[in-house]
């Protein structure tokens, strides 16, 4: 356990900053971050997929690896699945296996980007039979979500074109909306359809769902169970992602995140490793919305955001990379919880620009390690989840799986 002195210094300092630590700890204990089944498999770039020993060979083994992350961090009780990467005979058995590991199946992700038929698009394809095939896959994923007890279908469309003139962009939009309407109508009342946008790749001229505005417009047209998913790697350089988050929150259409980080394009690197301040500022906007008693429906939207990791660990050991990711999200969420909100609203009211900026940066600069240690202690979790993993012998045990596990 970290020496009490350091924790007492931290607690005294936060009290002097006017921070209510008990409330902060409660909020931190409630933070849940879903991990992606595909983050445990082999993955790579168009240049190379490096095969590693011990990689899970089945969706069942992916759940077993995910269970290690939850056991050690206490924050990842659900796993997102991708169909057909996680296709199984009996989804009831997959659900039971998850529950036997203390997990639940989270977002179900359809895959409309790996069939040859989708070369010119899936639900936007000019060929009606291809659109029908794609819609049937979406409807199958809605049924899989019901079978595994999931309330989220999370859709990313790779659809787009590579050259001007290649296709009728507006006609594709109508085919897309028609297909999503049919999918939306298949949802149960407690389910949500999350719409993920991306400004390019694999299409290199136009992408049918390229930015938050197109996803938001589509969600509005579908209905209240349709929301936007923000993948932090899907924006052009220079985009103010936390601004988009604030707008989608205020419009009550922010449904979830795919957290990762990037330096150039959709690099899918470990979240918080290249631009931690952006991650912190995203949580600043979310916590500001959570505290906004003037707008209870915005608070409700902020309370049910689905926090998910979406990364490809091309060279990193998979499970440690996932533990690192969850701990990074926890760290920057904790820093945002240490914002002095009263002082901030005073500075904003006084239009005291430098004071306001300082209050935000100051929270980012807080060392939250003592706080995280106390929270882990109170949750009965190891002080250093990463060290605990390496000492668990689990990595050695899974080497028996050999090389050639699941990859996407
Ligand atoms: C697309 C994406 C999408 C997933 C895939 C694994 O870039 O972010 O969320 O389906 O990665
Ligand atoms: Mn994503």
């Amino acid at each position: 356990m970290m020496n009490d002195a350091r924790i007492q210094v931290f607690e005294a300092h936060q009290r002097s900053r006017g921070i209510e630590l008990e409330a902060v700890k409660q909020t931190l204990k409630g933070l849940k971050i879903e991990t992606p089944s595909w983050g445990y498999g082999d993955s790579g770039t168009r240049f190379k997929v490096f095969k590693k020993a011990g990689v899970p060979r089945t969706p069942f083994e992916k759940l077993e690896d995910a269970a290690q992350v939850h056991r050690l961090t206490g924050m990842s009780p659900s796993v997102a699945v991708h169909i057909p990467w996680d296709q199984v005979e009996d989804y009831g058995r997959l659900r039971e296996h998850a529950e036997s590991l203390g997990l639940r199946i989270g977002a179900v992700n359809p895959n409309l980007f790996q069939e040859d038929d989708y070369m010119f698009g899936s639900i936007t394809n000019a060929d009606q039979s291809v659109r029908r095939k794609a819609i049937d896959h979406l409807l199958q994923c809605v049924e899989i979500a019901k079978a595994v007890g999931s309330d989220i279908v999370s859709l990313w469309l790779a659809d787009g074109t590579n050259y001007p003139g290649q296709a009728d962009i507006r006609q594709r939009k109508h085919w897309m909306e028609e297909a999503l309407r049919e999918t939306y109508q298949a949802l149960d009342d407690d389910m949500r359809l999350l719409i993920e946008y991306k400004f390019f790749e694999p299409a290199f001229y136009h992408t049918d769902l390229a930015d938050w505005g197109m996803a938001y417009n589509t969600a509005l047209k579908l209905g209240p169970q349709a929301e936007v998913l923000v993948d932090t790697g899907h924006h052009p350089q220079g985009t103010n992602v936390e601004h988009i988050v604030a707008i989608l929150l205020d419009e009550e259409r922010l449904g979830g995140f795919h957290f990762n980080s990037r330096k150039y394009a959709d690099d899918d690197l470990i979240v918080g490793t290249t631009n931690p301040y952006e991650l912190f500022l995203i949580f600043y906007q979310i916590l500001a919305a959570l505290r906004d008693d003037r707008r209870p429906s915005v608070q409700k939207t902020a309370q049910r955001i689905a926090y998910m990791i979406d990364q490809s660990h091309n060279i990193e050991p998979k499970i440690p990379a996932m533990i690192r990711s969850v701990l990074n999200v926890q760290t920057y969420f904790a820093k945002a919880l240490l914002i002095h909100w009263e002082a901030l609203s005073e500075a904003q009211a006084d239009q005291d620009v430098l004071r306001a900026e300082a209050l935000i940066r100051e929270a980012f600069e807080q060392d939250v390690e003592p706080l995280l240690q106390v929270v882990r202690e109170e949750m009965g979790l190891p002080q250093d989840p990463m060290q605990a993993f390496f000492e668990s012998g689990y990595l050695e045990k899974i080497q028996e799986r050999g090389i050639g596990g699941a990859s996407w």
Side-chain angles (χ1 to χ4, degrees), residues 35-332:
T35 66
S37 66
W38 56 95
Y40 298 101
D42 280 328
S43 57
T45 69
R46 58 184 164 171
F47 303 105
K48 172 71 177 166
V49 172
F50 296 99
K51 295 278 183 200
K52 289 208 177 56
V55 161
R57 300 160 292 189
T58 68
F60 295 88
E61 288 183 344
K62 293 176 187 175
L63 293 176
E64 287 152 24
D65 292 2
Q68 292 303 308
V69 177
H70 184 49
R71 179 176 68 80
L72 297 164
T73 67
M75 278 186 291
S76 299
S78 64
V79 180
V81 294
H82 219 294
I83 307 299
W85 298 340
D86 299 309
Q87 186 148 314
V88 293
E89 287 305 305
D90 177 346
Y91 285 100
R93 264 197 63 230
L94 190 68
R95 177 180 186 165
E96 281 152 22
H97 191 58
E99 287 159 2
S100 72
L101 293 163
L103 299 175
R104 68 176 178 80
I105 305 286
V108 173
N109 292 256
N111 182 327
L112 292 175
F113 53 89
Q114 287 187 315
E115 299 261 346
D116 293 340
D117 287 341
Y118 300 147
M119 181 159 65
F120 297 129
S122 63
I123 58 176
T124 62
N125 197 298
D127 179 331
Q128 196 282 335
S129 67
V130 173
R131 298 200 301 275
R132 186 68 252 165
K133 174 183 174 178
I135 295 168
D136 291 345
H137 175 65
L138 294 176
L139 296 174
Q140 184 210 10
C141 288
V142 172
E143 294 318 307
I144 290 170
K146 295 173 184 176
V148 297
S150 169
D151 60 1
I152 291 181
V153 172
S154 184
L155 175 63
W156 168 65
L157 276 186
D159 293 36
T161 61
N162 280 2
Y163 299 96
Q166 176 184 332
D168 179 336
I169 290 175
R170 288 182 296 105
Q171 179 52 58
R172 289 167 69 95
K173 173 175 172 284
H174 289 282
W175 285 326
M176 174 182 75
E177 290 167 352
E178 196 183 297
L180 295 182
R181 241 191 320 279
E182 186 175 344
T183 307
Y184 185 89
Q185 277 142 16
L187 299 174
D188 286 346
D189 296 348
D190 66 343
M191 296 176 82
R192 292 190 276 173
L193 176 65
L194 301 190
I195 300 170
E196 181 179 2
Y197 58 87
K198 181 177 179 180
F199 77 114
F200 91 109
E201 188 201 47
F204 294 104
Y205 172 63
H206 104 286
T207 293
D208 293 284
L209 276 175
D211 67 20
W212 74 273
M214 298 177 197
Y216 170 64
N217 179 53
T218 305
L220 278 185
K221 286 183 159 182
L222 289 171
Q225 293 171 251
E227 296 175 329
V228 179
L229 183 145
V230 176
D231 184 312
T232 47
H234 287 188
H235 306 86
Q237 290 286 347
T239 300
N240 184 330
V241 178
E242 60 270 22
H243 181 189
I244 294 171
V245 168
I247 299 304
L248 289 171
L249 274 167
D250 208 58
E251 295 300 318
E252 301 162 30
R253 291 295 170 142
L254 178 66
F257 286 93
H258 274 179
F259 284 134
N260 50 63
S261 63
R262 56 77 174 268
K263 191 150 192 65
Y264 304 105
D266 189 18
D267 311 347
D268 281 341
L269 298 171
I270 291 176
V271 57
T273 55
T274 59
N275 187 353
Y277 202 49
E278 178 187 75
L279 182 62
F280 164 82
L281 293 174
I282 286 171
F283 283 129
Y284 158 35
Q285 290 303 330
I286 293 168
L287 292 175
L290 272 171
R291 301 171 56 81
D292 188 351
D293 300 337
R294 301 163 298 179
R295 300 184 181 86
S297 50
V298 169
Q299 289 180 307
K300 194 156 161 289
T301 301
Q303 277 148 14
R304 58 196 211 116
I305 295 170
Y307 298 119
M308 300 175 275
I309 302 269
D310 175 10
Q311 291 168 192
S312 52
H313 302 131
N314 304 344
I315 59 174
E316 310 92 327
K318 321 286 178 184
I319 302 169
M322 205 65 84
I323 293 172
R324 181 73 267 148
S325 305
V326 170
L327 295 177
N328 283 358
V329 173
Q330 183 187 44
T331 298
Y332 294 104

Side-chain angles (χ1 to χ4, degrees), residues 2-12 367-370 373:
M2 176 186 289
N3 63 46
D4 291 354
R6 188 169 164 206
I7 289 171
Q8 271 133 32
V9 168
F10 171 83
E11 291 181 345
D367 167 14
V368 293
E369 223 18 63
Q373 300 267 335

